[in-house]
Amino acid sequence: MGKAVRSVLLMKESQYRLNPPSGKVVCRYDTELRPKELPLVPATEIDGKIPYSFLNPLQSLFFYAYQGGSSLVCAPTSAGKSLIAYLFMKDKKGRKVYIAPTKSLVYEKALEFKKYYRNVDVRTGDRLLENYKEPTGDVVVSTYENLAYAFRNRSSWVENMHCLVVDEVHQIAKRWVLEEVITYALKRDIPILGLSATLPDASSIAQWLEVQLLVESEWRPTELIRDVKLLKEFDKVGRKRGREYALPAKLLSCMFEIPKHDEKVILFVPSKKVGWKLLELANEEKIGIMNKTLPFEVEEREEKEIAFHNADVPKEEREEIEKAFRDGKLRRLIATQTLAYGVNLPADRVLVLVRMFWERGKVKMLPDALDILQMEGRAGRLGIKPLGYSNLLLYGGDKDNFERCIRETFDTSLKSMVKEGKSLDTLCLFLLIGMLYEKKNYEGFIRKTYSYSDVSSKEIDRAMNFLINHGYLNDHELTDKALYCIRSGIPPTKFEEFLRRLSLGLDHLVVIRPLLYMKKFDSLYDFVNGGESFEEDRYHVTKKLVPCGELCFEDNTDQFIFYVEGLTFKYPNIKNPPGEFSYLATDALHLVRMLLELKKLNLWNLSTMDILQIAHSVKYGVDKSYSSLCGIKGIGHIRANLLKRFMQSQGIEAPPLGSKTKELLSILMEKDALEYILTEDRKLSESKAKEEVRRLMNIIERNSKGFLIDDKILLAFGLFSMGEVAYRMKKEELLRYTLWS
């Protein structure tokens, strides 16, 4: 900290054209009064694999200005920061690591770097062998969390790490694990390149990162035309309804009134509730909807004109929507801010609903200025259209208040924003991690972080007392409990809640909820609360959780149990598990590892069968006693619960995990009973019920020579209990060592 930072500004007068290739760099260094003009750098000077003639102005400026060490680059989305990362890494020896906030971005960046490097490894936690197979490539692209886990577990592949690129470095305001990763690199003098599209306090972050060069950009690849509008100026679409539809009705009007007929447009809404209501109105207006999993019944139409992209949409559906929008087959997209930080999905025009409100005597807005800039980064398609358009739709405020909010955001220190998200949870875990890395100098690690550099001794003492009193420290040495939390990333406060539930003798799936603490599980009720049996189903779940107390409702354990017991089967609008519930496959595998480690520590002595059943229940949303039904390859959540309901109606017990699939074929002769369940509980027509049963039988027949156990869960159990040797074993061998021995 305290080192002089050399800074340079890329000015908006810079130019870049793809056809014919031309342009210039116009920049001003902090030590110079006058701007200077430089030519674009020919791509062949850097690498013949670069697929265009010249580096753009931002890339060219970085090439001219970067002289080694660490750097911070703040520039709009789509300004070519990936190639800047390549320029930064190009001459570095040893392993180069690039980290991004989401798995989708990690895979996207890995593909980009494969143009320049023969071997690029990915670390997202999705692949079982990541724990056993060390990266061999010069470049590793990882999520923040997986690099942190590699540091904590002293993985050998990070020992040879010679530089670190941090994409979306402003995420330290929301992702505390990023602070840990950067602090680790700073303590070891590893050169860092920070990349950001929206950073209000760039000089402060530059000082913290100890950079030698700060690059900021006024230039944008496609010029952005921003227009601020008042939402009240627009008419509502559709017939008059309740107040909750008033806002979505105006937004639907904006989506069709503002864009030109050939434009691809994204409307960013501040909440999923608004987006779903908007889509519901679109359905009533006979507009074709691409989404399949919805919180309401939809009328099928051949032409798909609109879709809603948000965290509740199952993964497969999201990817279909993204492809359709990218290919131009879908031209209107509603989205929450997750898209702004997710995959690269450019549009011609971006509409952003901005809610204005007063809080503690200050005018505020949602989304905040940083998120708005990130959303506007989606506007503009270089080489396709010369301009990008942004329409900010103000709701509850005026243009003067909006401008004031923007100014205040960029006058506010980022440190104060970062601190707002900190709690005893994170400080306790930071202290344990600091002890792991620095032993008795743990406070030195804490002081090196961005948000805790000035933490009071009183706050540290409070957290230390919690850790000592709950058995995480013994004479400043880390106990097994502490090491478990460090390796798994579970804050000690969450682990104590897990132990509390365990001591109450609650159902296994209620007990494990705190181990999945990063999941919110807050969206399921939005999809089912209009169903005929919702109150009855919710009462069933609530009654089960009464002994657990309020904490089981504060962390949405009730919605988690609603899912894992398969109660969603009775809701025809649920085609696939919504949101986070469709992304539990990887969590189920990590849960196997966590439960095995708890068993080794004698903290929870589950049987092999218990562990496997829990993992199947979490992944597929079927209660434990019927978890073997999830072992049919391709079965899915709804069909597995159809089989469960059929067996319950016939008084048949589910075959045990690991038994042969062909045993099911003789059980399922009563096809009429399956069809009846589909018509009664799922409200399918007779013809659709017959077709669904036919598909189900085909799936089972295709798997008739298999075993009733999920391949990946079985392999995970083998790997985490026996090591890499399990990967070379056949399925029957693994079964013999796990369930049959």
Side-chain angles (χ1 to χ4, degrees), residues 704-721:
S704 60
K705 295 181 180 178
F707 299 91
L708 292 174
I709 194 163
D710 181 274
D711 289 0
K712 288 188 176 178
I713 291 175
L714 177 63
L715 177 57
F717 189 96
L719 286 170
F720 297 138
S721 56

Side-chain angles (χ1 to χ4, degrees), residues 96-148:
K96 307 148 186 64
V97 178
Y98 186 109
I99 56 174
T102 65
K103 293 176 184 179
S104 55
L105 269 179
V106 165
Y107 289 118
E108 192 175 288
K109 296 302 177 185
L111 278 175
E112 290 184 37
F113 289 129
K114 282 179 180 177
K115 297 174 190 172
Y116 309 111
Y117 296 96
R118 288 179 58 189
N119 194 349
V120 176
D121 285 294
V122 168
R123 282 290 184 274
T124 63
D126 281 350
R127 299 170 183 177
L128 280 171
L129 271 183
E130 284 184 10
N131 293 280
Y132 302 97
K133 191 177 179 182
E134 291 294 318
T136 56
D138 288 336
V139 177
V140 177
V141 189
S142 168
T143 57
Y144 301 157
E145 288 78 10
N146 274 271
L147 181 58

Side-chain angles (χ1 to χ4, degrees), residues 30-93:
D30 57 352
T31 55
E32 299 172 357
L33 294 176
R34 294 182 180 179
K36 94 171 28 174
E37 192 171 302
L38 300 167
L40 298 180
V41 176
T44 51
E45 283 190 24
I46 309 300
D47 195 316
K49 302 185 192 78
I50 296 173
Y52 35 87
S53 303
F54 293 97
L55 272 59
N56 74 23
L58 181 67
Q59 296 158 347
S60 295
L61 177 58
F62 186 81
F63 175 79
Y64 287 128
Y66 180 64
Q67 297 173 358
S70 293
S71 180
L72 175 62
V73 176
C74 305
T77 301
S78 302
K81 294 192 286 290
S82 294
L83 185 62
I84 289 174
Y86 175 59
L87 295 174
F88 172 78
M89 297 188 298
K90 191 171 181 294
D91 297 322
K92 304 282 192 302
K93 296 179 180 179

Side-chain angles (χ1 to χ4, degrees), residues 75-78 81 101-102 105 144 167-171 174 195-200 220 224 226 266 268 336-346 350 352 367-380 390 392 406 410:
T77 301
S78 302
K81 294 192 286 290
T102 65
L105 269 179
Y144 301 157
D167 199 357
E168 313 280 9
V169 70
H170 55 273
Q171 285 283 329
K174 299 174 183 177
L195 300 173
S196 176
T198 51
L199 203 54
R220 199 177 187 277
L224 180 71
R226 176 192 280 177
I266 299 174
F268 283 102
T336 54
Q337 69 180 50
T338 53
L339 179 64
Y341 292 97
V343 293
N344 184 24
L345 210 62
V350 164
V352 183
D368 62 29
L370 302 188
D371 287 335
I372 288 172
L373 292 177
Q374 194 76 25
M375 292 166 184
E376 287 183 324
R378 298 298 176 200
S390 164
L392 305 182
I406 293 286
F410 283 88

Side-chain angles (χ1 to χ4, degrees), residues 573-609:
N573 57 303
I574 302 283
K575 307 290 192 300
N576 297 297
E580 289 178 314
F581 297 97
S582 69
Y583 281 83
L584 288 172
T586 302
D587 297 273
L589 303 182
H590 291 305
L591 195 54
V592 170
R593 180 182 60 187
M594 287 192 281
L595 296 178
L596 281 168
E597 190 165 343
L598 285 171
K599 186 174 181 178
K600 287 178 187 174
L601 296 173
N602 289 318
L603 289 171
W604 197 12
N605 293 313
L606 293 170
S607 69
T608 295
M609 184 65 78

Side-chain angles (χ1 to χ4, degrees), residues 689-704:
K690 285 182 183 294
E691 175 60 20
E692 179 60 18
V693 171
R694 185 189 66 78
R695 289 178 180 173
L696 173 63
M697 296 306 294
N698 284 341
I699 289 171
I700 297 171
E701 285 169 5
R702 283 200 305 270
N703 289 277
S704 60

